Amino acid sequence: KRPVETPTHFRWQISIRYALAQLAMAQGEWARAELLLDEVARMDPLRYSPLIATKTIGASVLLGEIAQSKGDSASARRRWRRAIAQCRRVLRFARWREVIGSLRAPETFGMPELAEVIQLGGRAAGALRACAETSGRAAIAWRLANQTPADERFLYQVEVA
């Protein structure tokens, strides 16, 4: 028998795959990281919560950066367009209660995580714009020059790819 999958199980499938992809990148296992990130990018965060989209959209953004670092601009643009579409969908269909909980005692993590969803969409939009106006290498340079403190953990990974 297969165990019943609850929304919480699904959330952990996303989080664990994303964490394993981060570990694979840190170990230089790029093929494995890309497979895991691709799985995460294809998962629907709204099955659990709009806030887990930080992982699904983040995976699309990272896949675009990895593709761009390999010189595959077409794939990079596809990934970044997907990240923007995911961001738009999550923001459109997010239930406010899932973001902050009760207005009387709002959750402290919801708004910052929703802001990260928007920031990731902005990161993809900036990369697409840079690709449209410049060569791929310039797009990576633009991306690195315009990262926020929350993005610093990705700097080494993109340079290594």
Side-chain angles (χ1 to χ4, degrees), residues 118-136:
I118 295 168
Q119 186 269 332
L120 287 164
R123 187 165 140 185
L128 276 171
R129 179 64 181 244
C131 278
E133 295 180 358
T134 63
S135 71

Side-chain angles (χ1 to χ4, degrees), residues 27 45 62 82 98 111 130:
Q27 295 174 337
L62 278 172
R82 178 176 173 81
E98 292 178 353
M111 294 299 278

Side-chain angles (χ1 to χ4, degrees), residues 9 39 46 48 54 68-69 94 97 118 140 158:
H9 288 123
E39 287 178 17
L46 295 177
Y48 176 73
T54 57
Q68 187 65 39
S69 73
R97 185 158 179 81
I118 295 168
I140 290 173
V158 173

Side-chain angles (χ1 to χ4, degrees), residues 35-98:
L35 288 172
L36 288 162
L37 289 169
D38 189 60
E39 287 178 17
V40 172
R42 287 184 281 115
M43 297 173 100
D44 180 5
L46 295 177
R47 281 184 56 191
Y48 176 73
S49 162
L51 303 181
I52 199 70
T54 57
K55 306 293 187 283
T56 59
I57 297 169
S60 290
V61 171
L62 278 172
L63 285 164
E65 291 172 357
I66 292 167
Q68 187 65 39
S69 73
K70 292 177 175 180
D72 188 352
S73 295
S75 178
R77 285 191 299 272
R78 256 190 326 277
R79 298 297 191 161
W80 291 325
R81 281 191 298 267
R82 178 176 173 81
I84 293 168
Q86 288 174 320
C87 182
R88 182 178 179 184
R89 180 176 173 270
V90 165
L91 294 173
R92 181 174 180 197
F93 294 110
R95 290 186 208 111
W96 193 242
R97 185 158 179 81
E98 292 178 353

